[in-house]
Amino acid sequence: MASVASQPVFAWQQLGIIPGVALRLFGMRRSGNHAIVGWMQRNAPGGRSVFLNNCKPGSDPFRSFRGIEVDGAHAPQHKALRDMASVAGTAGNGALLVMSYEDTSPAEFTGERQVSGPFDEGLLTRNVVIYRSFLNWSASLLKKMQGNSGYSLVRRNAILLRAMDTYTRLLGLVEQARDLAISCISYDRWCGEDAYRAALLAELGLETRDNTLGTVQRYGGGSSFQKEAQSAEDLQTDQRWRQMAGDAEYQAVLHLAARDTALTDRLSRLFPADAAVLSGIAAKAPMANGGLA
């Protein structure tokens, strides 16, 4: 995509700054989106950044975000919606801009309907897709919803099954990343490999100022499994599916997932260990005699 610095000044007037790096993120909920954004902010040019959280697909991101941070600190959303430049402008020219979209695949937007509405995608430095191993992602999402008393079992599973469909399409983008010039971040590798994180910073055009995992982000209530954890280093993010293995609701979800060939085909290439687990589940009948005898 075009260099941000080459764009006319007027294109960024609404934001109030000319970013040094402008990133648009896509990732499913419970895929480490906010942990990764926090890491990007800590490694932003001069530590300066503007983060627009959970923008509404199909709309102007400068008018449809659900939260805003400037230089890593929460900023007044209502004021920014009225006058973005008065809030974001304090970051100064050359700052990092991150616009995030949750549970959205850009592949769903074609023709005149664009994922960022009227925003000129040519202004972006890169698109970024964050993805996580299926077993741990689905376990974390279900665990999060089980903690919400307003969600019935039917509602939880309706949300999860729809999310699985979007998750599958996002994996399709990961497989086409080179052709589409998309930067992809595996949350699983990001959590466990310092060198992987450092290489990503270089790819994104960011400094290496703080390559640690940082503190646990509190968006979405923080960790669904370790409520008291403060350091991201303490999170057992690779054990979530094992921690949910005895949950009957999660077992039912996995039996359905194991029979979704579009999902399992992509997992076989991107997360073969997950695919092997699902293959074993698919070989077993969910209930003897269909549960009807």
Side-chain angles (χ1 to χ4, degrees):
M1 294 187 179
S3 168
V4 173
S6 69
Q7 303 301 322
V9 173
F10 70 82
W12 294 107
Q13 283 183 344
Q14 185 180 357
L15 183 63
I17 62 170
I18 302 175
V21 176
L23 304 176
R24 184 170 61 176
L25 263 60
F26 299 92
M28 306 302 297
R29 281 176 291 170
R30 318 313 291 181
S31 290
N33 298 341
H34 291 106
I36 290 171
V37 169
W39 163 76
M40 290 177 173
Q41 290 171 305
R42 296 195 305 276
N43 292 284
R48 297 177 294 112
S49 62
V50 176
F51 168 43
L52 303 181
N53 180 48
N54 198 9
C55 299
K56 182 179 179 180
S59 301
D60 184 343
F62 295 160
R63 298 183 180 277
S64 64
F65 52 88
R66 274 80 162 187
I68 179 172
E69 292 185 5
V70 177
D71 297 342
H74 289 282
Q77 179 180 356
H78 294 301
K79 182 179 179 182
L81 287 170
R82 291 194 306 270
D83 183 0
M84 171 66 80
S86 69
V87 176
T90 61
N93 290 337
L96 166 69
L97 170 65
V98 179
M99 303 182 297
S100 79
Y101 292 80
E102 296 183 4
D103 297 352
T104 299
S105 169
E108 299 169 5
F109 292 79
T110 58
E112 294 184 0
R113 186 168 183 255
Q114 298 298 310
V115 67
S116 294
F119 178 81
D120 181 1
E121 296 184 1
L123 297 173
L124 295 169
T125 304
R126 297 192 75 84
N127 282 306
V128 180
V129 170
I130 298 171
Y131 64 111
R132 184 181 186 182
S133 62
F134 174 76
L135 294 177
N136 287 314
W137 166 73
S138 56
S140 184
L141 180 56
L142 180 57
K143 179 72 170 180
K144 171 63 178 175
M145 290 191 292
Q146 286 178 336
N148 188 329
S149 60
Y151 282 18
S152 66
L153 182 148
V154 171
R155 185 181 179 190
R156 286 195 299 268
N157 284 273
I159 292 171
L160 184 48
L161 291 176
R162 285 197 300 270
M164 282 169 49
D165 192 46
T166 303
Y167 173 92
T168 301
R169 289 195 293 275
L170 275 180
L171 291 190
L173 291 180
V174 173
E175 292 194 295
Q176 302 175 65
R178 181 169 297 180
D179 292 339
L180 297 175
I182 295 173
S183 291
C184 295
I185 300 178
S186 163
Y187 179 57
D188 309 80
R189 291 190 65 191
W190 181 86
C191 286
E193 302 177 27
D194 292 356
Y196 179 70
R197 294 196 298 274
L200 285 168
L201 290 174
E203 179 179 329
L204 297 173
L206 299 177
E207 303 172 2
T208 303
R209 298 163 53 89
D210 178 357
N211 197 29
T212 67
L213 298 183
T215 59
V216 176
Q217 298 292 305
R218 295 304 171 185
Y219 284 96
S223 171
S224 302
F225 292 83
Q226 295 170 265
K227 292 295 186 183
E228 303 306 317
Q230 297 296 318
S231 172
E233 298 278 358
D234 297 331
L235 295 179
Q236 301 168 332
T237 57
D238 61 339
Q239 297 298 312
R240 299 316 188 202
W241 78 273
R242 297 181 187 280
Q243 292 164 347
M244 287 286 283
D247 185 286
E249 191 176 347
Y250 183 58
Q251 292 172 7
V253 167
L254 294 187
H255 271 285
L256 289 173
R259 289 157 176 81
D260 183 338
T261 55
L263 171 64
T264 56
D265 283 352
R266 285 178 175 157
L267 290 179
S268 69
R269 294 184 290 273
L270 295 171
F271 294 106
D274 284 21
V277 170
L278 291 181
S279 178
I281 291 172
K284 302 174 184 177
M287 296 180 291
N289 299 317
L292 300 176

